Amino acid sequence: MENIVLVSIAVIIVVGIFSQWLAWRIQWPSIVIMSIAGLLLGPVFGLFNPQEALGNLYSPLISLSVAIILFEGSSSLDIREIKGVSKSVFRIVTIGAFIAWIGGAIAAHFIAGLSLEISFIIGGLFIVTGPTVILPLLRNAKLKPRTAAVLKWEGIIVDPFGPLLALFAYEIIKVLTNDSLHANYIFNFLLSAVFAIILGYVIGMLVSFMINKGLFPEYLKSPIIISFVLLCFTLAEVVMHETGMLAVTVMGLTIGRTKHYISSIGQDVSHFVENVSVLLTSTIFILLTASLTRETIAEMFTWPIIGFVLVMLFIVRLLSIWLSTAGTELSNAEKILIGWIAPRGIVALSVSGYFATILLNDGYEGAAMLTALTFALVFITVCAHGFSLRPIAKALGLANDAAPGILLVGANSFSIALADYLQKINIPVLISDSSATLLQPAVKKKIPAYHGQILAEHSEYEVDLTPYETILCLTGDAAFNVLVSQSYAPKFGHNHTFTLTSESYKQQDSKKIPFARKANLLFREDAVFTELNKKINTGYKIQALPMNHQDKIDLDLLPEDAIPLLIRKKNTIQLITLRSKIMLDEGDQLVVLQKGKSE
């Protein structure tokens, strides 16, 4: 038995992460790949059933994982994102959610054939568009910030309220259909929800206070925060089932609002929780889809269920968005896109299973189809929205088509010349330096600049780094360059974090430099800070080198005074590193630092 559980957990984790990687490689929505992988493991080939393998661990594992995912999503919310659209977000998560509840309930009753009682319960659950599906889609789609912010905030705020709304409807129906229960039963439910909100807020403030006071060592911060998340969720669940999600969401929002005052929380904790969240998202989707039966899959393709999903897609969602955002700052294009995008995910799947069980125990035979109905809604919305989000956003002019930007750390003659060249070829740039004097030449050239310490915690809240995909550390302090690289590698990715070579590298035999490290060292061994700036100050220019197209360029054949910097491609650039072999495709240009006339 132990071996079965061990193998099951290992297979689920490995398949989940491999699905994420495969989705990245082929540029598909990761949720789609994970759902397909789970279906192949479970109902299609019948390799194993997670519910049977994990037994009593199955439901708690999903619940605790959802708690961490919700905490990560809510704690990462930045209030600046909804500047200008806060009115729309508020209406969507209140009026829009209510319209979606009523519309979903009516569709479930008249289209899917469920009883009114079950319909109003499940209609509340189906308002959710959680972070487990929205965030991966937004990463792939690259929408304009305002539209992405509305979808992100809606998903994270509404996610815990869907199950609560369903539970509230269930409690009301129990009171109305059971003479032995009285109105104080509803009062107890509302009291439990208030308790969950207070619990989340108190624990959030407690964690922030304790970390700010230095009561935890650095290496224990992340584990302790995760422990408090699980404690918060469990305490709320003990008081009343399904209130745990509300508690951890409030806890995340509380920490998210206070963390910029608490420099000691740091980016490492955020990255750790984010990585755990990605792992859990992969695991849960494989768990849920692999647990489905072939009968459930077959039931998904009946006309009542397909009809219900189509009504939810094309009528209920559109009505809820257009009616709730009437008279707000959103444009018609934004309303159309937001009205189309509403994928359901982990919360809908896991909670519908819970309600299916208790409703069947209460004698509602129609509840047997809830699993098939929910999975049909989840799978179809994930596929439809995952594959259509980017094309529709492009058609509506809401896709962020700007080239990926570059953040240059350190203001000096070379970095300003490089930023000026990049800006001229329509690559967004930002120069950061703690010296206003050094930034003056950049400001005169109208290059965007950030005056501040890029390593300071508050810098994350003073400058929006969203448009920038690559960071170049170009100061004269080699140790500072390494520190910035290490600090920002988790945010930008190892392959998008670069720094200059130092004098010590220049003095070494290049063969002694680790091969992997060369990928992050810019240009060539002798292109150190002093040499680059000396060349700029003595008349060297950054310019495209006239040359015929060829597959590979021999660096030894380049002009003696030319330092290769980057390859200019049609829509982007490729930086030259110590590990680079310069390969030009048709239409590419090699950009060098060379004595001569600037472009």
Side-chain angles (χ1 to χ4, degrees), residues 447-554:
I447 298 171
Y450 167 61
H451 175 216
Q453 176 52 263
I454 197 67
L455 288 176
E457 180 72 18
H458 59 77
S459 67
E460 182 182 348
Y461 298 90
E462 292 178 351
V463 59
D464 181 16
L465 297 180
T466 305
Y468 308 101
E469 191 177 85
T470 301
I471 181 170
L472 309 183
C473 303
L474 305 176
T475 76
D477 186 339
F480 182 76
N481 287 343
V482 171
L483 186 58
V484 173
S485 296
Q486 291 175 342
S487 300
Y488 278 87
K491 185 178 186 68
F492 288 91
H494 177 79
N495 294 329
H496 294 276
T497 306
F498 302 90
T499 186
L500 290 175
T501 54
S502 63
E503 289 290 343
S504 60
Y505 276 120
K506 181 181 175 183
Q507 294 162 5
Q508 291 180 42
D509 182 347
S510 63
K511 292 182 180 178
K512 293 181 180 179
I513 302 173
F515 184 71
R517 180 76 178 115
K518 291 183 180 182
N520 300 93
L521 295 175
L522 288 166
F523 316 137
R524 64 189 193 194
E525 286 93 339
D526 63 341
V528 294
F529 176 84
T530 51
E531 191 67 24
L532 291 171
N533 281 279
K534 178 182 175 183
K535 289 184 180 298
I536 290 291
N537 293 333
T538 55
Y540 279 65
K541 304 293 182 182
I542 296 175
Q543 55 196 355
L545 190 66
M547 59 196 320
N548 296 324
H549 163 71
Q550 55 190 84
D551 290 332
K552 183 179 175 182
I553 295 175
D554 189 342

Side-chain angles (χ1 to χ4, degrees), residues 12 23 35 47-48 59 90 98 189 199 208 217 229 251 265 269 296 340 345 420 428 431 504 522 530:
I12 289 165
S35 299
L47 298 179
F48 74 101
S59 294
F90 177 76
F98 179 76
F189 166 78
L199 178 69
S208 297
V229 171
M251 178 184 171
I265 284 184
V269 173
T296 301
W340 167 241
D420 189 40
I431 289 187
S504 60
L522 288 166
T530 51

